[in-house]
Amino acid sequence: MRQYPLSKIRNIGIAAHIDAGKTTTTERILFHTGKIHRMGEVDEGTAVMDWMVQEKERGITITSAATSCFWGETNINIIDTPGHIDFTVEVERSLRVLDGVVVIFCGVGGVQPQSETVWRQANKYKVPRIAFVNKMDRIGSDFFGVTKRMRERLGANAVPIQIPIGEGASFKGVVDLVRMEALVYSEEGQETAIPLNELSPSLFESASLHRTLMLERVAEVDDEFLEKYLNDTFMIQDIKAAIRRATISYKIVPVLCGSALKNKGIQQLLNAIVDYLPSPLDIPPVEGVNPLTGEKEIRIASEEEDFCALAFKIMADPHVGKLTFIRIYSGHLQKGDIVYNPGKGKREKIIGILRMHANYRENIEEAYAGDIVAVVGVPSTVTGDTLCNEERPIMLEAPHFPQPVISAAIEPKTKAEEEKLQFALQKMATEDPSFKVNTDPETGQTIISGMGELHLDIVVDRLLREFGIHTRVGKPQVAYRETITEKVRQEGTYIRQSGGRGQYGHVILDIEPLPRGAGFLFEDKTTQGVIPKEFIPAVKAGVEEAMEYGVLAGFPLVDVKVTLVGGSYHEVDSSEIAFKLAASQAFREAMVKANPKILEPIMEVEIVTPSSYLGDVLNDIVARRGKMESMELSPGDTVTIRAYIPLAEMFGYATVLRSLTQGRGVYTMQPSYYSELPDNIAKELIFSLKGMNAFCEVSPSPKGRRSSNGKSQI
């Protein structure tokens, strides 16, 4: 049986913009709760939660790490999430399974770009949150300025429940507005409670003013407290209960402050987590769909309910293999249990249950509703899958992951590592839903796609460190096409005599351009049997073969209509191969005369940017040969731009957009249509390909752009 009730569980995340102090705050929480006995430092690479080699070297969090600790009688399960936008998927899947979140703000930087992204994600999953304004000891810190920007830029009803005693170098403590007492910290972070009347009158006056504002804001959103407030009959426990109700119902965001690095304010933050963030009993029952009936069902947070859990993270462990992180919403799970994956229609046996502390594992025999654990023995389960009781199946909503925004071609430095590379890439793609791997059908290149240049840099670094694979990385080739712009009639003849039976094929073709996106159309208009019907398919096959390799740069042809209008045959020498070769010859000769052009893929791009950066973004779109389609003012003083931009101009755009908008702009894109490449750019492309072909000794194959040793050119 569980050792503590559900009401004493807090499943929380720590989230913020990069370098706001998430991991440092988590380290201090673990120290104060007795989970660790020495506080690690991010800058020194000793933070427990930043366990990856890449995290220690770069001083940033790359992957979300889970841990568990106790504050008093309350069990707090914590997920420390990355702050860099390239790893926003880690925040996304963590918020999907958490009950509350502590959002860290830098006292100097305030509401930063990734702060907005995290806030939107928390809004999407309706996660109650409290705010912690960190780095109050830094010069330029401004607690009230940060809370003001939270209201203006995030639309949050930010309610300070503490105010700082001093700021910058003079920061020495906080005033707890609920209890109206001062908490002063020593240089070592020791906390001492002092009655406010023993401090300066100005501080007492400021605290009284802000306490009144706090009480009014809470009373505005909580009718139960409003009555007590108006009658002046409330106690401290009434204030705390009202703040808790308002926080859980998303009506207010309590704001605290401190300095995690100097170990100031952490104990009060822990108290706030316990007092104001929800337990699994405080949130609505999880909702899903019965895969057998299609009807909506719920599961109540109870050990007596049928088992139901969501897999939200996959991690490869060198000692135990694949670890699947799950949030248990109902029921209980024991080692050796058979669980059902309704999405895959498979039963899987739980070989082991682990309680994680970053990359350290603790074997446990069972887990219950409200727990976040890792399990071993579910090989077919991936991120977003539901595990449940087969007799009463349910499918929970999976997290929604952003699509990759940047791609690169990758290949091993040696042929012997090719199979090993594919295995490693697929393994990483299973762990990270925002990382995609595919093979370009046009160029044969392996393309890796992710959320940014740092994301792909980490992938390449992991390939070398974890799998021992040396790789070369570069841009993928754009899948250009060729077409014609004029109608041409062309005759093609294939005649061979070699003593015995010869070869004879003769065709007359009309080729003409079609509208963009029409593809290929073949029509037979011959009459009176000038070409026997059994040879017509061979004529079409010859044309299709010729279309695979254009005359300008070797790209496939599209949007062409070919009409067979005449020809002749020989009763003895004609054959399918002869007509196929005659048609292929006629088509190639016609292409040269039909004013061929190169087509480039055009992407439909949707950009969301704060209006203050609109001019810079629009100028950049024009510089990329883009065409504006529409602009729309969105909530929060942002503008949504819809434009059409050539794919060749979009490489590296994620980094440029972030630079133009201070990291606040985001975009999505999808293929839309093909358009004629401007002549000057087409000439440069043809020249570069001819130069590359000469250097690489490219053979004239339909796929064209490959070296004689079969490797893709990167």
Side-chain angles (χ1 to χ4, degrees), residues 168-219:
S170 64
F171 174 70
K172 61 180 181 180
V174 300
V175 175
D176 182 344
L177 298 179
V178 176
R179 294 185 175 276
M180 276 301 278
E181 66 178 359
L183 302 165
V184 178
Y185 300 98
S186 67
E187 287 299 318
E188 294 76 30
Q190 297 297 318
E191 181 181 280
T192 304
I194 302 175
L196 269 179
N197 55 15
E198 294 184 14
L199 296 176
S200 66
S202 60
L203 179 62
F204 182 82
E205 184 179 341
S206 176
S208 298
L209 172 63
H210 285 96
R211 186 174 198 257
T212 300
L213 291 173
M214 176 193 74
L215 296 174
E216 288 177 352
R217 286 179 176 270
V218 173

Side-chain angles (χ1 to χ4, degrees), residues 218-281:
V218 173
E220 286 173 359
V221 298
D222 189 274
D223 292 339
E224 185 178 336
F225 180 70
L226 175 61
E227 184 178 349
K228 294 180 179 179
Y229 177 67
L230 293 175
N231 296 324
D232 197 22
T233 57
F234 59 89
M235 309 281 286
I236 288 177
Q237 57 265 34
D238 296 321
I239 301 174
K240 293 173 71 173
I243 293 174
R244 178 179 179 80
R245 289 192 298 268
T247 303
I248 292 173
S249 58
Y250 326 112
K251 293 176 181 177
I252 69 167
V253 178
V255 185
L256 301 90
C257 60
S259 170
L261 185 63
K262 298 293 178 63
N263 202 21
K264 298 177 180 179
I266 302 302
Q267 295 179 58
Q268 295 305 308
L269 176 60
L270 279 163
N271 289 336
I273 290 170
V274 172
D275 290 340
Y276 306 129
L277 288 180
S279 75
L281 296 175

